Amino acid sequence: MERKSFWQSGDKKTLLSAFLYFDVSFMIWVLIGPLAVVIAADYPMDPVQKANLVALPILGGSVLRLVFGFLSDYIGPKLTAQIGMVISIVPLVMGWQFVNSLEQLYIVALLLGFAGASFAAALPLAGQWYPKEHQGLAMGIAGAGNSGTVFSTLFANRLAMHYGSWEIVFGLAIIPIVTVLILFTLFARNSPSRPEPRKPAEYALVMKQGDAWVFCALYAVTFGGFVGLSNYLTIFFNSQYGLAPIRAADFTTLCVIGGSLFRPIGGYLSDRIGGARMLTILYGGAALMLACVAFMPPLPVVLALLFVGMMCLGAGNGSVFQLVPLRFGRELGLMTGIVGAAGGLGGYALPLVLGQLYKSVGSYAPGFLCLSAVAAGAMGLIIVKQIGWRKGWLSRSDSGNGAPAAASGVSTASAKL
């Protein structure tokens, strides 16, 4: 039977809705990152406190992705997304009207994690509409909603300076999320082929499989690197190169664009040459770029290095999620939450590592060398693991033989699931 093209399969309205939901949610999730330099004028912070402030939304998102992944399986990704958008309005109102101390701002930052959990609903909503040969591109397009970071880094500090208040930025962010909530409600649909919910005891068995932990580790590096740097680079450019808040955020925007635009490209290329092969290349590229950044070259050079490094990490996000549906198709909602949570934890750790090492030694060089080593370690992991995968589920998926096993996420070694 002739395969349909990407645009002939699936549901385009739902795919666009998933993208918009993820995009506006991501914008809100990372809102504090670019604003941190401006906020520090009202609430003076040392490097570790700044790192903690921008890391807390990522921590909240990583934990809540597990919850959203579970809900996506049980009540459907559409309703889960609607609940997430409604709750995400709460910290925006708090940040706009009710913050009077750094401690209260920490609470707002943590609650912004509800927006970050959108990942665990947006990707299953889109991915469940598409056959496995188009999973990489579908998940990449939906996941390209991380481009919402661009809106935060480009406009947050400008709006804060224009209105003379960083608090008003939280209030203005309510407008786009309410707009998207209305559009999403009208146009998004759950896939009719959405898998039936599994029993809670069966979900526990997923985490007994080594591949689940491997995907968690891989995504902790790609997504954790992308979102962690997206939130921290404004602080980095301000501290290391002395850039003013708006200019520092503009430079961050350029780096974020590289990661955002290349996520769907990473998924598309992974559909063509395989996610494992793509990841080997991308981890190597990221490791090299981050190692070069550690030498703190002139600003134009470091900008180019970070752009390419973020490009590799962003494309890597798409490549990881080209593989996940092939291996865990029946548990896609849950695995999206689990793997997404691991990515969030990686993003939570990154600012803390950079901030703590900068405070301790007065230089960002050790921090970026650590990040480079982690990316190199991920490259080694994927090289080793794909040898076994190509003898099992990945080989069957590539050839089209044994498709039911690949689609259900059941390998020979895990037939009990």
Side-chain angles (χ1 to χ4, degrees):
M1 184 173 63
E2 184 179 354
R3 292 180 175 179
K4 293 182 178 180
S5 70
F6 177 80
W7 296 112
Q8 291 174 325
S9 60
D11 184 270
K12 292 185 283 294
K13 290 182 179 179
T14 299
L15 181 61
L16 178 60
S17 297
F19 167 80
L20 290 175
Y21 163 50
F22 194 31
D23 196 63
V24 72
S25 296
F26 215 101
M27 178 193 74
I28 291 168
W29 189 31
V30 302
L31 195 58
I32 283 182
L35 285 173
V37 177
V38 179
I39 292 171
D42 288 343
Y43 303 111
M45 293 174 277
D46 65 29
V48 174
Q49 287 176 312
K50 286 182 183 178
N52 193 46
L53 178 63
V54 301
L56 280 175
I58 309 176
L59 176 63
S62 66
V63 174
L64 288 168
R65 283 180 175 195
L66 293 171
V67 178
F68 275 41
F70 180 84
L71 289 176
S72 292
D73 270 2
Y74 267 82
I75 66 175
K78 178 175 180 177
L79 181 56
T80 301
Q82 290 169 312
I83 293 172
M85 280 186 274
V86 170
I87 298 178
S88 295
I89 296 172
V90 174
L92 295 178
V93 173
M94 291 175 63
W96 177 27
Q97 294 289 338
F98 300 107
V99 170
N100 296 300
S101 67
L102 185 58
E103 289 71 23
Q104 291 174 345
L105 189 58
Y106 282 155
I107 295 173
V108 170
L110 195 60
L111 290 177
L112 288 175
F114 278 98
S118 57
F119 176 92
L123 267 66
L125 179 68
Q128 288 167 356
W129 277 99
Y130 290 84
K132 65 185 182 72
E133 63 266 22
H134 298 308
Q135 283 284 331
L137 182 56
M139 301 284 264
I141 291 174
N146 58 28
S147 60
T149 307
V150 173
F151 296 107
S152 289
T153 56
L154 192 59
F155 296 114
N157 286 344
R158 282 183 166 82
L159 290 171
M161 295 295 183
H162 177 76
Y163 288 102
S165 165
W166 55 265
E167 291 93 342
I168 192 65
V169 180
F170 286 88
L172 292 172
I174 297 173
I175 299 172
I177 194 169
V178 170
T179 303
V180 170
L181 174 59
I182 295 170
L183 294 173
F184 184 91
T185 300
L186 292 175
F187 297 114
R189 295 188 299 154
N190 288 326
S191 170
S193 59
R194 185 169 66 90
E196 290 295 322
R198 310 292 295 277
K199 295 179 180 179
E202 293 179 293
Y203 288 129
L205 295 177
V206 174
M207 294 310 296
K208 293 183 179 180
Q209 300 182 55
D211 286 348
W213 292 97
V214 171
F215 286 133
C216 285
L218 296 176
Y219 204 63
V221 178
T222 58
F223 183 79
F226 172 79
V227 74
L229 288 172
S230 296
N231 267 15
Y232 195 79
L233 281 180
T234 300
I235 297 173
F236 167 72
F237 285 126
N238 174 260
S239 301
Q240 180 66 33
Y241 292 95
L243 300 185
I246 291 178
R247 188 164 173 80
D250 286 345
F251 275 61
T252 301
T253 300
L254 293 173
C255 298
V256 168
I257 287 173
S260 300
L261 292 182
F262 277 83
R263 178 163 186 152
I265 294 174
Y268 174 80
L269 292 176
S270 296
D271 283 339
R272 297 299 178 269
I273 69 172
R277 292 190 185 97
M278 273 298 296
L279 283 172
T280 303
I281 298 169
L282 294 170
Y283 283 128
L288 178 60
M289 295 302 105
L290 292 170
C292 292
V293 171
F295 291 96
M296 299 300 145
L299 186 58
V301 177
V302 82
L303 180 63
L305 293 171
L306 286 169
F307 180 89
V308 176
M310 292 281 274
M311 181 186 73
C312 291
L313 294 172
N317 292 333
S319 296
V320 172
F321 270 91
Q322 187 267 346
L323 293 171
V324 171
L326 301 181
R327 178 62 179 83
F328 292 101
R330 292 179 62 190
E331 302 87 11
L332 182 57
L334 179 73
M335 281 303 299
T336 301
I338 293 172
V339 175
L345 288 175
Y348 171 69
L350 187 151
L352 297 180
V353 169
L354 290 177
Q356 184 63 60
L357 288 175
Y358 182 74
K359 182 180 180 180
S360 299
V361 302
S363 171
Y364 284 112
F368 278 100
L369 287 175
C370 286
L371 300 183
S372 175
V374 170
M379 181 178 67
L381 175 63
I382 193 67
I383 290 173
V384 171
K385 291 302 300 183
Q386 67 178 298
I387 296 174
W389 290 347
R390 294 193 182 284
K391 296 178 181 179
W393 62 269
L394 191 56
S395 175
R396 292 192 297 274
S397 175
D398 288 342
S399 65
N401 299 324
S408 65
V410 180
S411 67
T412 304
S414 58
K416 291 182 180 179
L417 274 178

